[in-house]
């Protein structure tokens, strides 16, 4: 539905904005900022963490979903193809898989094995866990974009049932991260 | 014609000075059409009948040639050849045999389809007889190409697969497809989508055109077209890719391409039914420049066209049809038509829209169009 074919997107009046960064910029332009209580140093620190998630967690998720043979054939491909009739329900997932493979091969992730990928995820979680420490949110007592991004990724990884559950196991080792997810779920997503 | 010389040498010597084919008596005793497999006899018999009436050699040759042209225009044959011989039964009399050698079109043939614009027509139409039954399997990927694309269109974005059976009936008796002077054409299209794929609908369309020569080479052309479709899965509405659109320089002149009917934020949404009619008077260019050559590719024409596009509520059929008849659009104008080969035409018109509805995208004044199908 978005012009670039990307999610997430928001629809505000005549505007349709897609992907996280443009959405944040758009919302800021409308006068809503979650980072106004941060100093410049904290703000750049937050951006660094967000970049780490884009570079590690996103690639690891793509690797698990599309390159791991079991997950891609049992979960990802059927799920991606289910809205379409035959033969699109197998053409489109295969096309997407080759796109993901090209992306991961260009940044070197394709040649990693599952163990190396898990190690990357563990390092990423370690860094996040240390930053969060025992605080309620990553930066003080107010949520920022980073909190939203971390919650989005970690909550999905913990709650999605897959035939291969390594990522969830890694995240469960960091109790402050799982508590963080639970807390945000109760705070914002409970009816 | 070598046969004629060979068979009647004495005659030829006698009339050497004013040899006139028109004076040679001839009687066509038999007409043979070779190469018919699928074409029905009644079509052919009707076509060749005029030959039997010829009484002289010249008439026979002439009418045979006319029949050949007419058979070619039927669109049933790839090639038509004529062969005239004396009658084998009794070589002494003035009897002749006319043989047509025809080659039928292949029953299965490919075509290129343009899905752009209102000219959703086969570039190379071929027919099995005058009926054509075909299966369409089309994978469509609809995308929002610009930031301003309306949300109603975005909601339809994505992949869809249409698998449909289409029956096309064409009865084209015109002397020309682009600038006819006489004859009529009837075109009926029935489409059923839903053999696999994820779109299900049935669609009916018709097109009728009459041409009549008036005084001074002027031609009157009357056209009428319409269509209606219905979804076969009550919970799904018909996708925008499959709906009808109306308006454009060769259909409903005076309106922009797809300019008629429901619009949201400048995007035409199309509808499930339409009707369209037009009356043209064609004449040669004023003062006939380039007569007999380049100038004959041009015509001036004056026209009135009217139409409407809307949705039909099948629970209130009468009301919907009445509504379609009341809020119609019409426009009149005149301009120049140029024939492009045997397949397309170009028009430059000055149009005055006379009745428009709210939301229509109107094109008053000069309008230019080029296309394969027109009304």
């Amino acid at each position: 539905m978005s012009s670039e074919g990307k999610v997430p997107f928001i629809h505000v009046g005549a505007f349709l904005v897609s992907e996280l960064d443009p959405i944040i910029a758009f919302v800021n332009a409308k006068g809503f900022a979650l980072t106004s209580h941060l100093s410049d140093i904290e703000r750049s620190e937050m951006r660094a963490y967000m970049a780490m998630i884009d570079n590690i967690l996103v690639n690891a998720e793509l690797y698990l979903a599309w390159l791991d043979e079991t997950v891609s054939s049992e979960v990802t491909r059927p799920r991606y193809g289910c809205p379409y009739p035959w033969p699109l329900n197998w053409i489109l997932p295969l096309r997407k898989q080759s796109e993901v493979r090209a992306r991961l091969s260009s940044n070197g992730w394709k040649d990693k094995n599952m163990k190396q990928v898990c190690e990357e995820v563990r390092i990423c979680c370690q860094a996040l866990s240390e930053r969060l420490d025992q605080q309620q949110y990553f930066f003080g007592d107010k949520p920022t974009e980073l909190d939203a991004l971390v919650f989005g990724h970690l909550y999905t990884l913990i709650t999605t049932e897959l035939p291969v559950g390594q990522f969830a196991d890694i995240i469960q080792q960091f109790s402050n991260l799982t508590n963080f997810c639970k807390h945000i779920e109760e705070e914002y997503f409970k009816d | 014609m070598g046969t004629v010389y060979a068979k009647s040498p004495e005659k030829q010597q006698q009339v050497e000075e004013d040899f006139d084919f028109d004076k040679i008596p001839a009687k066509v005793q038999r007409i043979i059409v070779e190469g018919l497999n699928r074409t029905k006899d009644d079509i052919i018999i009707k076509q060749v009948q005029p030959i039997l009436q010829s009484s002289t050699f010249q008439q026979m040759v002439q009418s045979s040639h006319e029949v050949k042209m007419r058979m070619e225009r039927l669109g049933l044959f790839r090639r038509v050849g004529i062969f005239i011989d004396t009658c084998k039964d009794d070589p002494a009399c003035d009897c002749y045999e006319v043989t047509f050698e025809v080659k039928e079109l292949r029953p299965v043939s490919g075509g290129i389809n343009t899905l752009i614009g209102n000219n959703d027509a086969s570039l190379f139409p071929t027919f099995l007889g005058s009926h054509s039954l075909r299966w369409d399997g089309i994978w469509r990927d609809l995308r929002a190409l610009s930031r301003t694309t309306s949300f109603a269109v975005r909601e339809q974005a994505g992949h869809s697969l249409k698998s449909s059976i289409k029956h096309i009936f064409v009865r084209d008796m015109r002397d020309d497809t682009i600038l006819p002077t006489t004859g009529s054409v009837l075109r009926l299209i029935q489409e059923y989508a839903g053999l696999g794929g994820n779109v299900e609908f049935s669609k009916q369309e018709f097109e009728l055109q009459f041409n009549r020569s008036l005084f001074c080479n002027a031609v009157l052309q009357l056209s009428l077209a319409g269509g209606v479709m219905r979804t076969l899965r009550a919970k799904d509405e018909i996708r925008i890719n499959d709906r009808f659109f109306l308006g454009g320089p060769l259909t409903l002149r005076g309106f922009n391409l797809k300019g008629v009917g429901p619009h949201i934020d400048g995007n035409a949404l199309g509808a499930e039914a339409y009707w369209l009619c037009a009356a043209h008077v064609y004449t040669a260019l004023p003062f006939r420049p380039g007569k007999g050559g380049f100038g004959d590719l041009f015509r001036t024409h004056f026209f009135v066209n009217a139409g409407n596009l809307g949705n039909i509520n099948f629970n209130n059929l009468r009301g919907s049809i009445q509504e379609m008849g009341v809020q119609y659009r019409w426009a009149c104008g005149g301009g120049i038509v140029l024939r492009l080969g045997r397949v397309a035409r170009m028009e430059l018109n000055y149009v005055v829209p006379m009745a428009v509805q709210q939301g229509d995208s109107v094109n008053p004044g000069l309008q230019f169009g080029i296309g394969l199908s027109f009304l």
Side-chain angles (χ1 to χ4, degrees):
Chain A
M1 279 204 214
S2 65
S3 307
E4 296 81 16
K6 301 266 174 64
V7 283
F9 66 87
I10 55 167
H11 179 212
V12 184
F15 298 97
L16 198 128
V17 190
S18 60
E19 289 188 271
L20 184 63
D21 285 334
I23 290 174
I24 291 169
F26 176 80
V27 173
N28 280 345
K30 294 279 168 194
F32 301 98
L34 295 173
T35 53
S36 48
H37 64 291
L38 300 188
S39 68
D40 284 351
I41 297 168
E42 284 177 317
R43 222 170 282 165
S44 48
E45 201 185 343
M46 182 193 80
R47 285 211 193 90
Y49 278 103
M50 288 175 75
M52 180 184 74
I53 288 173
D54 280 342
N55 287 328
I56 298 179
L57 269 188
V58 170
N59 284 330
E61 284 161 8
L62 288 174
Y63 184 98
L64 178 75
W66 293 101
L67 262 59
D68 182 90
E69 205 32 62
T70 329
V71 179
S72 79
S73 64
E74 284 181 21
V75 180
T76 319
R77 287 211 305 259
R79 200 158 77 171
Y80 189 84
C82 71
Y84 305 109
W86 182 91
L88 296 187
N89 61 359
W90 59 266
I91 296 175
L92 291 173
L94 286 176
R95 205 172 69 166
K96 176 74 179 170
Q97 189 173 32
S98 72
E99 269 169 35
V100 171
R101 198 171 279 147
R103 174 179 166 171
L104 293 184
S105 104
S106 72
N107 62 18
W109 276 70
K110 189 171 164 256
D111 303 325
K112 293 184 198 286
N113 60 31
M114 199 57 185
K115 213 172 156 195
Q116 288 168 308
V117 172
C118 286
E119 183 56 22
E120 294 272 4
V121 173
R122 206 192 57 75
I123 291 169
C124 178
C125 289
Q126 179 91 50
L128 289 173
S129 174
E130 280 166 15
R131 168 71 233 188
L132 182 64
D133 203 15
Q134 294 307 315
Q135 301 177 92
Q136 206 169 14
Y137 299 107
F138 279 89
F139 293 93
D141 53 1
K142 277 188 181 168
T144 61
E145 305 71 295
L146 176 64
D147 297 274
L149 190 63
V150 171
F151 172 75
H153 283 283
L154 296 190
Y155 185 80
T156 311
L157 287 173
I158 296 171
T159 54
T160 309
E161 276 185 30
L162 293 177
V164 182
Q166 286 110 317
F167 287 11
D169 296 343
I170 294 167
I171 297 163
Q172 301 286 2
Q173 292 166 16
F174 301 92
S175 59
N176 61 344
L177 289 180
T178 51
N179 287 336
F180 167 80
C181 289
K182 262 183 225 152
H183 162 67
I184 291 201
E185 191 200 356
E186 277 162 19
E187 180 90 27
Y188 295 98
F189 295 98
K190 271 280 177 296
D191 291 326
Chain B
M1 272 172 261
T3 348
V4 182
Y5 290 103
K7 295 284 177 189
S8 50
E10 311 88 356
K11 255 187 192 170
Q12 194 208 349
Q13 276 166 5
Q14 285 162 16
V15 288
E16 206 168 31
E17 264 146 51
D18 55 342
F19 190 76
D20 196 349
F21 279 120
D22 219 351
K23 302 234 169 62
I24 299 176
K27 205 167 160 228
V28 179
Q29 196 161 59
R30 193 179 294 166
I31 300 171
I32 302 160
V33 184
E34 285 177 358
L36 293 180
N37 288 318
R38 295 179 300 274
T39 312
K40 296 276 179 294
D41 287 347
D42 54 342
I43 297 174
I44 300 300
I45 290 170
K46 199 175 155 225
Q47 295 293 327
V48 301
Q49 229 134 34
I51 303 176
L52 294 170
Q53 266 127 46
S54 40
S55 54
T56 67
F57 192 88
Q58 176 149 3
Q59 271 180 12
M60 176 178 70
V61 172
Q62 222 163 34
S63 65
S64 302
H65 191 67
E66 276 164 19
V67 168
K68 170 182 186 283
M69 303 265 281
R70 226 174 299 144
M71 280 164 84
E72 280 171 342
R73 253 182 249 123
L74 282 175
L76 304 176
F77 308 113
R78 236 183 325 163
R79 204 169 51 234
V80 182
I82 317 175
F83 182 70
I84 298 177
D85 201 354
T86 49
C87 202
K88 286 175 190 85
D89 303 338
D90 181 11
C93 76
D94 293 317
C95 295
Y96 293 90
E97 251 179 23
V98 180
T99 308
F100 287 93
E101 284 176 8
V102 300
K103 194 133 194 179
E104 288 179 331
L105 290 167
R106 275 171 301 205
V108 180
S109 51
I112 298 172
N113 243 298
T114 54
L115 287 172
I116 303 161
N118 215 11
N119 307 320
D120 183 6
S122 295
L123 289 177
F124 305 104
T126 49
F127 301 109
L128 168 63
S130 53
H131 293 264
S132 145
L133 194 63
R134 73 177 198 214
W135 172 77
D136 278 353
I138 310 177
W139 170 10
R140 293 93 52 98
D141 182 6
L142 184 73
R143 295 186 187 193
L145 287 179
S146 85
R147 295 195 156 275
T148 55
T149 309
S150 70
F151 207 72
V153 176
R154 285 171 191 272
E155 280 175 339
Q156 310 249 343
H159 297 270
S160 62
L161 192 74
K162 180 177 94 168
S163 165
S164 73
I165 291 281
K166 206 180 219 175
H167 172 242
I168 303 171
F169 171 77
V170 182
R171 185 184 164 85
D172 194 345
M173 309 296 279
R174 295 174 298 176
D175 55 347
D176 187 275
T177 50
I178 304 300
L179 293 170
T181 59
T182 176
S184 65
V185 60
L186 169 65
R187 192 174 284 123
L188 295 173
I189 304 171
Q190 285 115 34
E191 184 177 9
Y192 163 72
L195 304 158
N198 59 351
V199 289
E200 288 181 27
F201 63 83
S202 74
K203 196 188 230 180
Q204 316 284 330
E205 275 183 275
F206 78 94
E207 189 188 322
L208 244 157
Q209 189 190 84
F210 295 102
N211 297 283
R212 164 156 279 191
S213 290
L214 305 173
F215 49 91
C216 305
N217 291 327
V219 176
L220 173 70
Q221 184 179 74
L222 298 172
S223 312
L224 178 66
V228 61
M229 68 172 89
R230 188 176 188 176
T231 178
L232 298 175
R233 251 193 318 206
K235 64 182 167 62
D236 289 357
E237 62 169 3
I238 294 176
R239 282 171 175 266
I240 195 166
N241 324 36
D242 299 312
R243 289 186 207 148
F244 292 121
F245 292 89
L246 190 62
L250 294 180
T251 54
L252 191 54
R253 294 162 187 81
F255 295 84
N256 287 319
L257 201 63
K258 306 187 177 183
V260 173
H263 279 67
I264 286 189
D265 302 338
N267 296 137
L269 296 179
E272 291 161 16
Y274 78 98
W275 63 266
L276 182 62
C277 63
H280 295 258
V281 175
Y282 295 91
T283 61
L285 288 181
F287 312 116
R288 313 282 312 258
K291 190 183 174 189
F294 189 61
D296 286 350
L297 298 176
F298 291 89
R299 292 281 188 285
T300 47
H301 73 149
F302 298 94
F303 59 84
V304 179
N305 54 198
N308 202 358
L309 178 79
N311 288 318
I312 292 270
N313 178 358
F314 286 93
N315 299 321
N316 179 14
L317 206 58
R318 185 184 282 261
S320 304
I321 291 171
Q322 260 171 4
E323 204 173 300
M324 290 279 288
V326 173
Q327 295 186 329
Y328 64 90
R329 288 89 167 154
W330 72 283
C332 60
I336 295 173
V337 182
L338 166 64
R339 162 215 287 278
L340 294 172
R342 293 184 71 88
V343 290
R345 77 177 197 172
M346 215 152 82
E347 283 185 27
L348 182 64
N349 298 321
Y350 187 88
V351 204
V352 185
M354 302 299 284
V356 302
Q357 301 293 333
Q358 204 173 9
D360 288 352
S361 166
V362 188
N363 182 351
L366 281 180
Q367 192 173 28
F368 172 76
I370 181 167
L372 304 167
S373 59
F374 61 91
L375 201 78

